[in-house]
Amino acid sequence: MPGSEPSIGRIVFTAEEIRARLAELAAQIDEDYRGRDFVLLGVLKGAMMVMADLARMLTHDRVEIDWITVSSYGDATTSSGIIRMLTEPDLDLAGRDVLLVDDITDSGLTLSWLIRNLAARGAATVEVFSLLRKPDMAKVEVPLRYLGFDIPPDFIAGYGMDYAQRYRNLPYIAVLDF
Ligand code: PRP
């Protein structure tokens, strides 16, 4: 059970599988934003890996990168539903085309809160990229323009995702066995 010491279980996506899917999505993003400046806005900390890899696959040369830090889980394994903004973006996002990049959509509460927050900042457009989504856990529907993979509701970690701040450094995504 969460609270006990987990071990790394079954690998859900290897580094190669993640890279292949990101390449497909990066090509779509290049196409969709052709000729337009836009801001890739990564949601820390979980999006650290996917931002770094996705950004390097874009051939688009008019993209700006910024970050926002929110936390809804703390060290818990289920969302509290209370989103805390820990750091604000540096850029003024008013009038900008923003592509939010997150690692996982679970309840959907974080991203739906962020979409509202960015609208309140006056962003011209807000689209959402999520590497993973757990459809069975959705409490609110998030309009994802770019989705890597749908997955079952197992507790997973790696490739930016943590349990009690650990495992973010793994280059693959694995189930944690408690
Ligand atoms: C995780 C993840 C998403 C969010 C998804 O962040 O990175 O931002 O939870 O969950 P939801 O759809 O239920 O809202 P977390 O709050 O754990 O912080 P972290 O990115 O620093 O790990």
Side-chain angles (χ1 to χ4, degrees):
M1 286 301 295
S4 59
E5 197 66 11
S7 58
I8 297 170
R10 180 175 57 86
I11 293 182
V12 183
F13 297 109
T14 63
E16 290 70 28
E17 288 168 332
I18 297 167
R19 196 159 37 240
R21 184 68 183 126
L22 286 183
E24 293 173 351
L25 294 169
Q28 268 185 47
I29 293 168
D30 272 338
E31 180 67 27
D32 293 348
Y33 286 89
R34 182 179 299 175
R36 276 199 292 157
D37 293 354
F38 72 108
V39 179
L40 264 190
L41 185 65
V43 186
L44 289 171
K45 302 176 192 169
M48 53 184 263
M49 295 278 189
V50 66
M51 273 286 278
D53 286 343
L54 178 69
R56 278 181 289 185
M57 288 178 185
L58 297 175
T59 60
H60 201 292
D61 58 2
R62 285 162 57 174
V63 56
E64 292 166 59
I65 290 181
D66 205 351
W67 303 93
I68 192 166
T69 313
V70 295
S71 184
S72 64
Y73 283 62
D75 283 347
T77 53
T78 56
S79 175
S80 63
I82 299 165
I83 316 295
R84 288 187 302 141
M85 185 178 303
L86 305 180
T87 65
E88 303 251 344
D90 286 336
L91 296 172
D92 177 2
L93 299 176
R96 304 301 309 273
D97 291 321
V98 179
L99 175 53
L100 259 176
V101 177
D102 210 348
D103 51 332
I104 187 164
T105 308
D106 198 318
S107 68
L109 294 170
T110 302
L111 282 171
S112 61
W113 184 89
L114 278 168
I115 291 168
R116 287 195 302 277
N117 184 279
L118 293 173
R121 288 168 192 266
T125 64
V126 179
E127 302 289 355
V128 185
F129 175 109
S130 184
L131 178 62
L132 304 176
R133 175 175 64 182
K134 290 180 176 171
D136 296 344
M137 301 298 285
K139 289 186 179 156
V140 290
E141 285 302 315
V142 178
L144 297 180
R145 174 119 188 198
Y146 309 99
L147 170 65
F149 305 100
D150 274 329
I151 57 168
D154 303 315
F155 195 94
I156 52 159
Y159 199 68
M161 289 169 282
D162 74 312
Y163 170 68
Q165 302 304 327
R166 288 166 56 187
Y167 309 110
R168 293 194 199 272
N169 59 308
L170 301 178
Y172 51 82
I173 297 168
V175 171
L176 288 190
D177 295 328
F178 288 90

